[in-house]
Amino acid sequence: MNLLLFTPEERRPDGTVAVGDRRLQHLREVHGKKPGERVRAGELGGLMGDAEIVSLSENEALLRPSLHTSPPGKLPLILVVALPRPKMLRRVLRSAAEQGVAEIRLLHSYRVEKSYWQTPVLKEATIREYLLQGLQQSRDTILPRVSCERRFKPFVEDTLPGLTRGRRALLAHPGDHPPCPRGIAAPTVLVIGPEGGFIPYEVEKLQQAGCETVSLGPRILRVETAVTALVARLF
Amino acid sequence: MNLLLFTPEERRPDGTVAVGDRRLQHLREVHGKKPGERVRAGELGGLMGDAEIVSLSENEALLRPSLHTSPPGKLPLILVVALPRPKMLRRVLRSAAEQGVAEIRLLHSYRVEKSYWQTPVLKEATIREYLLQGLQQSRDTILPRVSCERRFKPFVEDTLPGLTRGRRALLAHPGDHPPCPRGIAAPTVLVIGPEGGFIPYEVEKLQQAGCETVSLGPRILRVETAVTALVARLF
């Protein structure tokens, strides 16, 4: 945890913040902080800076934040990724938040097991928890937007054209395609398939919707590795 | 598992290979393969291709390989990374192998907890297991070389100059440094610090040994995310 995040609702009338959960544990056990010391802190959706530890007990830390810095800019990226299995989903959410992805759309596709849509990881509070872990790691206060697209065809036909307006649309797909561009730093929609890849029908639909098909080379990467690698290559 | 790997020692005199471990389980349960079908296969250190499933029982699969393709080229990269905690080490080994890193040196540094050097993950057979997972994912047959550098100063003073001869040497370190170059595709030594970063003395020693200090931007990435992101950006 490189940044202690709190919500505006956690502010007391005098501006201080009391934390008693995992953040308290982290302050005590990992950072070994004592009253009077300072810790890097940020308000979710707002500024970053540090906070003075006013008091610290086994049950509660009282913090007085002093915030003055804007969070780092988000990458102008909408990541559309076929819903991975739950364990990998957790890591994708965390690392995409860590890297500064602005928006994540979890998409159904033929090779996504239907049971994946039942995972508790998709509960709003759980998604938020993994995103927060990413923000606390990379020092950011802005949660990426996350939504679920449970029907492939309506998404690609009706929603995707709106998303790609004014944005470059890339489909990362194994095979003999042009290499994924580097350092484009422009508004982008990046579409990544499931383990095993999109089926030919899906690739065709995505191409019809305006996606350029690009490759990351001859190696088949796990979805979580591919997400991190593609984001790092594009921005 | 996108490639079933076997060792030359597993070949029988008639060229067939019998597998009875996790690979058998994977063939049966994940791929649902039947006798007469084929599976992508490769010989560790050698060629790739496919294998006919001659017979398949609960205890054993007998395979007849037919190999004709070279594995993808390794990245000309020596990754020097401060030893991460065991859970992260496993992921770094797997994803570095997956991405095609040629060589990995695990380095001690001030912020590496001494206990990390006692982890069973560092046993040769365990390291090999994680590397194999990476190769089986990305379809490669060549294991990266992995070694441990348990003393920072002798490594940087005596070993590093030999490694960087004829190679670009980069130290990825948070801070206001030039951005990490993109797509250099040249022989490179990439040095990545521990959680919390190298201490100033270590940064100085690495710079004296010829490392250019580069940054990945304002975000502090977890070591495993940083490794994948930097490799993807450089190659």
Side-chain angles (χ1 to χ4, degrees), chain A residues 6-171:
Chain A
F6 58 87
T7 63
E9 296 72 31
E10 287 180 297
R11 290 264 201 184
R12 296 176 172 198
D14 67 355
T16 60
V17 176
V19 299
D21 52 12
R22 208 190 295 183
R23 294 168 293 180
L24 168 66
Q25 200 184 339
H26 202 87
L27 278 181
R28 288 167 54 96
E29 291 171 16
V30 181
H31 291 299
K33 291 285 187 186
K34 296 187 174 51
E37 295 185 332
R38 306 188 77 84
V39 58
R40 281 179 187 265
E43 184 166 275
L44 201 63
L47 297 176
M48 319 195 296
D50 58 15
E52 185 198 339
I53 301 173
V54 180
S55 64
L56 188 67
S57 73
E58 276 186 29
N59 304 317
E60 189 183 271
L62 189 66
L63 309 170
R64 183 177 293 118
S66 159
L67 309 182
H68 36 72
T69 315
S70 296
K74 280 279 188 263
L75 304 179
L77 175 64
I78 301 175
L79 173 66
V80 178
V81 59
L83 183 68
R85 58 194 158 84
K87 193 173 167 185
M88 194 167 281
L89 172 59
R90 294 200 299 263
R91 295 200 207 129
V92 166
L93 291 170
R94 194 170 53 187
S95 63
E98 196 180 315
Q99 288 185 288
V101 173
E103 185 172 345
I104 303 165
R105 303 264 182 147
L106 300 167
L107 176 62
H108 188 62
S109 107
Y110 185 80
R111 292 209 177 100
V112 169
E113 283 187 27
K114 291 234 169 67
S115 65
Y116 293 175
W117 289 105
Q118 311 306 324
T119 173
V121 181
L122 282 176
K123 284 185 182 157
E124 200 176 314
T126 316
I127 287 182
R128 182 184 163 101
E129 177 56 32
Y130 287 107
L131 298 175
L132 285 173
Q133 287 180 13
L135 300 184
Q136 288 172 338
Q137 166 65 41
S138 69
R139 295 189 188 143
D140 189 356
T141 65
I142 312 293
L143 284 166
R145 288 182 299 281
V146 177
S147 55
C148 292
E149 306 290 350
R150 290 165 190 257
R151 295 173 65 209
F152 180 86
K153 195 164 168 247
F155 171 75
V156 174
E157 289 184 350
D158 307 333
T159 308
L160 190 56
L163 297 183
T164 59
R165 204 166 296 134
R167 294 175 168 264
R168 189 158 176 186
L170 301 173
L171 163 62

Side-chain angles (χ1 to χ4, degrees), chain A residues 2 72-74 91 94-95 97-100 137-140 182-183 195 218-222 225 228-229 232-235, chain B residues 2 72-74 91 94-95 97-100 137-140 182-183 195 218-222 225 228-229 232-235:
Chain A
N2 296 313
K74 280 279 188 263
R91 295 200 207 129
R94 194 170 53 187
S95 63
E98 196 180 315
Q99 288 185 288
Q137 166 65 41
S138 69
R139 295 189 188 143
D140 189 356
R182 295 175 186 278
E195 308 252 1
R219 294 172 180 275
I220 313 292
L221 302 181
R222 279 173 303 147
T225 312
T228 299
R233 187 164 160 136
L234 288 170
F235 295 96
Chain B
N2 295 313
K74 281 278 187 265
R91 294 200 207 129
R94 194 170 52 188
S95 63
E98 195 179 316
Q99 287 185 289
Q137 167 65 42
S138 68
R139 295 190 189 143
D140 189 354
R182 295 175 186 277
E195 308 254 0
R219 294 173 180 275
I220 312 291
L221 302 181
R222 279 173 304 146
T225 313
T228 298
R233 187 163 160 137
L234 288 170
F235 294 96

Side-chain angles (χ1 to χ4, degrees), chain B residues 4-216:
Chain B
L4 186 150
L5 276 174
F6 59 87
T7 63
E9 295 72 31
E10 286 180 299
R11 288 264 201 184
R12 295 178 171 196
D14 67 353
T16 59
V17 176
V19 299
D21 53 12
R22 208 190 294 182
R23 293 168 295 180
L24 169 66
Q25 200 185 340
H26 202 88
L27 278 181
R28 290 167 55 96
E29 292 171 15
V30 181
H31 291 299
K33 291 286 186 185
K34 296 189 175 55
E37 294 185 333
R38 308 188 75 84
V39 58
R40 281 179 189 266
E43 184 167 275
L44 201 63
L47 296 176
M48 317 195 299
D50 58 16
E52 186 199 337
I53 300 172
V54 180
S55 65
L56 189 66
S57 73
E58 276 186 30
N59 305 318
E60 188 183 270
L62 187 65
L63 308 170
R64 184 177 292 118
S66 159
L67 310 182
H68 36 71
T69 315
S70 297
K74 281 278 187 265
L75 306 178
L77 175 63
I78 301 174
L79 173 66
V80 178
V81 59
L83 183 69
R85 58 193 157 83
K87 194 174 167 184
M88 194 168 281
L89 172 60
R90 294 199 299 262
R91 294 200 207 129
V92 167
L93 291 171
R94 194 170 52 188
S95 63
E98 195 179 316
Q99 287 185 289
V101 173
E103 186 172 345
I104 303 165
R105 304 263 182 149
L106 300 167
L107 177 62
H108 189 62
S109 108
Y110 185 80
R111 291 208 177 102
V112 169
E113 284 187 28
K114 290 236 169 66
S115 67
Y116 293 176
W117 288 106
Q118 311 306 324
T119 172
V121 182
L122 282 176
K123 285 186 181 154
E124 200 177 314
T126 317
I127 287 182
R128 184 184 161 102
E129 178 56 33
Y130 288 106
L131 298 176
L132 285 173
Q133 287 180 13
L135 299 185
Q136 288 173 337
Q137 167 65 42
S138 68
R139 295 190 189 143
D140 189 354
T141 64
I142 313 292
L143 284 166
R145 287 182 299 279
V146 177
S147 54
C148 292
E149 307 289 350
R150 289 166 190 257
R151 296 172 65 209
F152 180 85
K153 194 164 168 248
F155 171 75
V156 174
E157 290 184 349
D158 306 333
T159 307
L160 190 56
L163 297 183
T164 59
R165 204 167 296 135
R167 293 174 169 268
R168 188 157 177 187
L170 301 172
L171 164 62
H173 190 64
D176 190 18
H177 313 294
C180 178
R182 295 175 186 277
I184 64 171
T188 303
V189 175
L190 171 65
V191 184
I192 299 179
E195 308 254 0
F198 286 116
I199 61 173
Y201 164 80
E202 292 170 336
V203 171
E204 202 177 303
K205 292 295 287 180
L206 288 161
Q207 287 169 336
Q208 282 167 5
C211 293
E212 303 168 52
T213 310
V214 297
S215 158
L216 253 187

